[in-house]
Structure formats: structure tokens, C-alpha cells
Amino acid sequence: MTIECGTSRITGCQFTLFPMSDDFAEVILSTLEKVDMSKVWKSTDDVTTCIRGKRVHIFDVTKALFLHAAKTGKHVAMSGTYSIGCPGDSSADVYMDESNELMNESSSEAVQQQAGCKFSLYPLGEEDYMEKIYQQIDWSKTTEVSVSHAHYATRLDGDVHDIFRVLQQSFEQVQNVVSHVTMTFTISANSPSNQKEQEQ
Amino acid sequence: MTIECGTSRITGCQFTLFPMSDDFAEVILSTLEKVDMSKVWKSTDDVTTCIRGKRVHIFDVTKALFLHAAKTGKHVAMSGTYSIGCPGDSSADVYMDESNELMNESSSEAVQQQAGCKFSLYPLGEEDYMEKIYQQIDWSKTTEVSVSHAHYATRLDGDVHDIFRVLQQSFEQVQNVVSHVTMTFTISANSPSNQKEQEQ
């Protein structure tokens, strides 16, 4: 299947940042102040935030939000779904004219943070979707992050920059061959729990 | 497509409970004490918890966890993905022999709580998946909850019992006709933000 304009299709992410602290509102507000969201369309309510625009900016903004929140040292998590090619999507096309220059990469680079992340890819409308998922899991094992299997998801552990690089590239590679793709993720930093899995 | 054993297929949910408070660990632990998880397989690490078993118990347990955490009056959210029919799933079949008697419904019934929820259905491996999604959105509008459109998701507002009833029934109806279905959700209670959507 060939997809026209593969590099300029509108991408979105519906996500929530969860600071596990009494001053969660301040953590979110101070994080928002540090992140430049001028190149994405944005809509926020009390459940999630949705941003839409060029893929590079969607990943730039979500990574920056998580990094600046985690930098507070508080236990923070972020959960959401990236989406591209949704037939029900309406356009916010003005943001597709923005340049590719990343607005947050330099401030993000200054933050070093370890995290754990679980993600799942959903290539839609295709019978051989499992094969495309397995290809990405195999590919992710060739990267800097530590990759492990979880039920219904793949777990990535490592530096947040590396984790988002794997997320972005996995999403990128699948949307090259499948029109409508979603990718869910939950990323967590500064958790007091150890990572040891506990099964009952 | 006909699915064998449609009522007894193993269902899973990978989720995280997020109490936005300094004592998040205590809120989670006290919630876990109140919820009977004896009829589901369970695995927890620092990013998510995964439960697997009969569909009725997966929804019974996730609803009870959210309700008992929200009952603390703190701002709490829960985010996760329900899954059924994943070809990569391995079985935890012992839990499929449990009876259908719900372990938490009576304690859940005692909790009245309003919430907002966004959810998305992903019927996999089928070309006409969008039609199946739209059918569920249309159906949800006939229920007690308030239904509104969000990018990449449907928003439900109302009583938590009603919201989980819509989630469970939507999932149920799609898995009757599609083998592999996932459904993502984020539900939030006691948020200090008003619900007014803010667009930039």
C-alpha cells in the first residue's frame, strides 16, 4: 500500500501527564511554561490534552513535557495514544505549514532522566497487522534501550531520549506502510517501586 | 466472522491508577486492600498492572479499583487498555474456571462518584473497522451517560457505574464480531479543573 504525502500527514497525540503529588497542578503549569507548543494545535480538558500537527513536533512536545515534569524529581507518569491517518480526523492544517525546526530539543537535551515505558502499536484495517507489530519489536531490540515483553505491550527501559526515539521511529516505520496507526504508551519516572515484577 | 467460545475468551487489561497526591502509594495500597482480585491473574511492575481472566471479572476489578481510589476524595485517574483475542497472548487459563459471581459489585455499588472518561475502540485485522467503531459511538448515545466527540476518542461523562457499563458493553459488542479488539481509556475524578475545553 502506498501512502501519499507520507512525511507530511497530520499526526496527533491524546495524552495526560500525571504528577503523583499534592501540588500536581503547579507541576503541570510549571511544565507547560517550559515547553514551547507554538507549532502544534492544542486542546485541553480535565481528562486529556490533545495536540496535532507535524509528527516531529508531536514527539518533540510530548518528550519535552515528560522530561520537564520528571525533572522536578517527583514521581510522574504520562499516558497517551499517538494517532495518524484516522479517517474520522478533521484537519488542523494550518499547523502543517510549520517548519521542521524543533522548538524544544535544546532544552530537552539538558535533562537526563531514566524511565520505564510500556507501549503497543495498533496498525488498523490490515489483516497482517501482527507481523508489522513483531517487526517493530524485533527492530526495537537493536536499539540502546532495554526491551522486554509484557502482556499486550512491549516494555522499554532506559534514558528518556532513547525511549522516545524508539517510540517515534516505531510509529514512523509502521505509518510508512499502514495508513491508520495508533500507538499507546505509559511512561513512568522516579517511581519508588522497584521494577521487580510481582505475579500472584 | 464467527468466533468460537465467544463468552469465555480470556480478556486482559493493562492499566495504571494515578492518585495525584503525595501519599499516592498509600492510596494505591489501601485501594488494593478493598478490592478482591482473587478471580483474576495479576502482574504488577512500576509502570502498569496487568490483570487477565474472564471479562466480567476484568471489568468488575477495574471499576472497583477506580471507585475505591476516587472515594478518598483525591484527584485520581486511571488509564489503560482492555484487550481480547490477542494472537500473541499466552494463556492464564486457570482463572477461566472461576464462576461468574462478581467479587466487588456489592462494595462498588456503595460508592457514588461522577467522572469524565475518554475511550477508543480498536477492532484489529478488519478493513471495515471504522464502521464497527461508529456503531458503538452511536449506541453509546442511547445510554445514561453524556457522550461527546473528542479527537481520536469518545468522551463519556456521568456516574462511574454507568461509564464502566458503557465501556464493558461497547467492548463486548465489538468482540462479538471481531476476534482481536483493544479499547483504551482514561478516566478521571475529583479534578479541580472545570471541564471546559480550552483550544489555542
Side-chain angles (χ1 to χ4, degrees), chain A:
Chain A
M1 181 175 195
T2 308
I3 296 161
E4 288 171 47
C5 310
T7 54
S8 63
R9 297 195 299 148
I10 195 162
T11 301
C13 187
Q14 177 99 248
F15 65 91
T16 313
L17 189 62
F18 303 106
M20 258 66 81
S21 67
D22 289 345
D23 64 346
F24 63 90
E26 287 75 19
V27 173
I28 291 172
L29 290 173
S30 74
T31 300
L32 288 174
E33 272 173 24
K34 294 188 189 82
V35 177
D36 186 330
M37 299 174 83
S38 61
K39 287 190 174 175
V40 298
W41 177 93
K42 182 164 71 82
S43 168
T44 296
D45 63 23
D46 59 325
V47 180
T48 63
T49 291
C50 181
I51 57 173
R52 295 161 70 238
K54 283 185 161 183
R55 197 157 60 248
V56 286
H57 297 307
I58 298 303
F59 281 94
D60 177 63
V61 165
T62 44
K63 181 175 82 169
L65 286 168
F66 183 70
L67 277 173
H68 287 291
K71 197 182 163 188
T72 59
K74 315 239 178 196
H75 176 25
V76 295
M78 189 167 163
S79 202
T81 304
Y82 294 95
S83 180
I84 190 166
C86 179
D89 202 0
S90 56
S91 49
D93 292 336
V94 55
Y95 290 93
M96 297 307 285
D97 292 334
E98 301 287 351
S99 76
N100 284 339
E101 189 202 346
L102 302 181
M103 303 309 282
N104 298 288
E105 187 57 23
S106 61
S107 75
S108 289
E109 263 175 9
V111 188
Q112 291 305 309
Q113 176 72 48
Q114 296 291 304
C117 177
K118 285 189 185 158
F119 82 109
S120 304
L121 271 163
Y122 300 120
L124 290 151
E126 307 247 333
E127 285 184 13
D128 66 341
Y129 65 103
M130 286 305 292
E131 195 187 317
K132 297 193 167 79
I133 295 171
Y134 291 137
Q135 282 168 359
Q136 291 314 309
I137 296 174
D138 287 345
W139 170 81
S140 68
K141 290 177 182 163
T142 68
T143 67
E144 313 77 340
V145 300
S146 162
V147 178
S148 50
H149 172 74
H151 277 290
Y152 315 121
T154 299
R155 179 169 177 140
L156 309 175
D157 282 279
D159 180 89
V160 170
H161 296 276
D162 293 333
I163 289 174
F164 272 89
R165 200 172 300 127
V166 171
L167 291 178
Q168 182 168 355
Q169 213 156 327
S170 297
F171 187 74
E172 192 109 8
Q173 286 163 356
V174 176
Q175 72 84 37
N176 274 333
V177 290
V178 179
S179 175
H180 185 187
V181 182
T182 67
M183 182 173 74
T184 62
F185 71 101
T186 298
I187 185 166
S188 171
N190 309 324
S191 166
S193 313
N194 64 34
Q195 295 177 7
K196 204 166 168 297
E197 198 162 341
Q198 295 165 337
E199 269 185 35
Q200 99 175 357

Side-chain angles (χ1 to χ4, degrees), chain A residues 129 152, chain B residues 1-12 52-59 83-87 89-93 95-97 100 123-124 126 171-182:
Chain A
Y129 65 103
Y152 315 121
Chain B
M1 182 176 193
T2 309
I3 295 160
E4 289 171 46
C5 310
T7 54
S8 64
R9 298 195 299 148
I10 195 162
T11 301
R52 294 160 71 235
K54 282 186 162 182
R55 196 158 58 249
V56 286
H57 297 309
I58 298 304
F59 280 93
S83 181
I84 190 165
C86 178
D89 201 0
S90 55
S91 49
D93 293 336
Y95 290 92
M96 298 306 285
D97 293 334
N100 284 339
L124 290 152
E126 308 246 334
F171 186 73
E172 192 110 5
Q173 287 164 357
V174 177
Q175 72 85 38
N176 274 333
V177 290
V178 179
S179 174
H180 185 188
V181 182
T182 67

